[in-house]
Amino acid sequence: MAFVLGGGGILGASEVGMLAALFDAGILPDLVVGTSVGAINGAAVAAEPSQATIERLTDLWSKLSVTDVFAGGPAQRLATVVRHGHLHSNGPLRMLLNTHLPPVRIEELAVRFQCVAASIERAAAHWFDAGPLVDAVLASCAVPALLPPVRIGDEHFIDGGIVDSNPVGRAVELGAHTVYVLHVGRIERPLRPPRWPWEAGLVAFEIARRRGFTEAMARLPAGVAVHVLPVGDRGAPLVPLRYRSTGGLLRRIEAARKATAAYLDTAADGSVHRVDVG
């Protein structure tokens, strides 16, 4: 049983609602696979798959509106770009992760966990399955231009969404027979041609991201059950240009929780094991 948590920046709050509904239904993972912001949510779940984790994640997402993870006015951000080539330091995000994730190695987590980042030097996906947890999650979240690459050993890593935004295929490779896909609400929304130059790159990335997910789904072997959970929020932006806007996060969490709970009530899959979640 695997939970697959995709990338999507500030929209990742929806995944917390999905997790809450899964735990409410007594559905626990044997494996957690995450990308980018899904690596943050997934790491917390792998550390402790319980209702207490939902409270910690809700607190984390709430704190995004009062912390300086993406702080700084236009002048400060421009100066950072000129000096370093990115808009923000990753120091505040590392501090937030250190506060909300345990100081452990990945192999010490309660549930098997992997997250992905893109290696610059090898131009390839790198799956973290061992080593310091916070370093791996920070690497998976290193959105190009917003945050600096994360150096681990002799390599530099950037956001895992570049190589695998919804890693359902990885979960199956690792032996999952039942997969719950927790995404941020963009998979099913129609695309339109970009109106502005800055939209062009975002639409191109979205096409590549969806193509990768569609191809992974098409390659699934017989006997694998995949549940793509609903977000319950039709108003979420397709591409979150206002990445520092945290308004409505709690509403987004609750909408995803209700929509996923309704889905689970009607889903019929004999391979789903429900247990009491403390």
Side-chain angles (χ1 to χ4, degrees):
M1 182 99 60
F3 289 1
V4 170
L5 295 97
I10 202 71
L11 302 180
S14 296
E15 296 175 350
V16 179
M18 296 174 183
L19 289 168
L22 287 165
F23 289 169
D24 287 342
I27 301 173
L28 295 177
D30 305 301
L31 168 69
V32 178
V33 182
T35 296
S36 193
V37 71
I40 298 177
N41 295 330
V45 169
E48 183 184 347
S50 72
Q51 293 289 358
T53 294
I54 301 302
E55 297 174 8
R56 281 193 289 272
L57 283 173
T58 302
D59 179 67
L60 182 152
W61 282 93
S62 299
K63 280 183 167 53
L64 286 175
S65 62
V66 295
T67 60
D68 58 354
V69 170
F70 295 118
Q76 181 180 342
R77 296 200 299 275
L78 177 60
T80 304
V81 169
V82 172
R83 292 179 59 190
H84 304 292
H86 50 265
L87 286 170
H88 304 283
S89 163
N90 63 11
L93 179 57
R94 181 183 286 275
M95 291 179 61
L96 190 65
L97 295 178
N98 282 329
T99 300
H100 288 80
L101 296 178
V104 300
R105 296 175 64 85
I106 293 174
E107 58 267 37
E108 297 170 345
L109 293 170
V111 177
R112 187 182 183 190
F113 173 74
Q114 290 191 9
C115 65
V116 66
S119 167
I120 293 177
E121 285 79 5
R122 291 184 292 112
H126 179 88
W127 291 93
F128 290 95
D129 59 2
L133 177 64
V134 169
D135 286 353
V137 172
L138 193 66
S140 188
C141 294
V143 181
L146 292 186
L147 296 170
V150 174
R151 179 172 181 173
I152 300 178
D154 294 328
E155 289 185 82
H156 296 81
F157 298 96
I158 58 176
D159 193 281
I162 300 297
V163 287
D164 202 339
S165 189
N166 285 287
V168 61
R170 182 66 175 183
V172 174
E173 289 176 14
L174 295 174
H177 295 286
T178 301
V179 181
Y180 289 90
V181 178
L182 291 72
H183 60 106
V184 300
R186 300 184 304 201
I187 291 174
E188 70 284 356
R189 297 190 62 188
L191 288 174
R192 60 174 176 79
R195 293 182 58 193
W196 307 104
W198 56 83
E199 289 182 330
L202 295 171
V203 171
F205 173 74
E206 186 66 17
I207 291 172
R209 190 185 70 84
R210 293 190 188 192
R211 180 171 179 267
F213 180 70
T214 300
E215 290 182 351
M217 293 289 287
R219 291 193 301 266
L220 292 177
V224 174
V226 177
H227 300 272
V228 181
L229 301 180
V231 173
D233 182 5
R234 296 183 179 275
L238 180 63
V239 284
L241 287 171
R242 299 178 62 188
Y243 63 93
R244 298 192 299 160
S245 175
T246 57
L249 288 180
L250 296 181
R251 175 193 56 77
R252 189 170 292 136
I253 291 173
E254 186 58 27
R257 185 173 192 161
K258 290 181 178 179
T260 297
Y263 170 85
L264 294 174
D265 283 342
T266 59
D269 184 351
S271 66
V272 175
H273 302 284
R274 300 171 188 262
V275 298
D276 291 330
V277 182

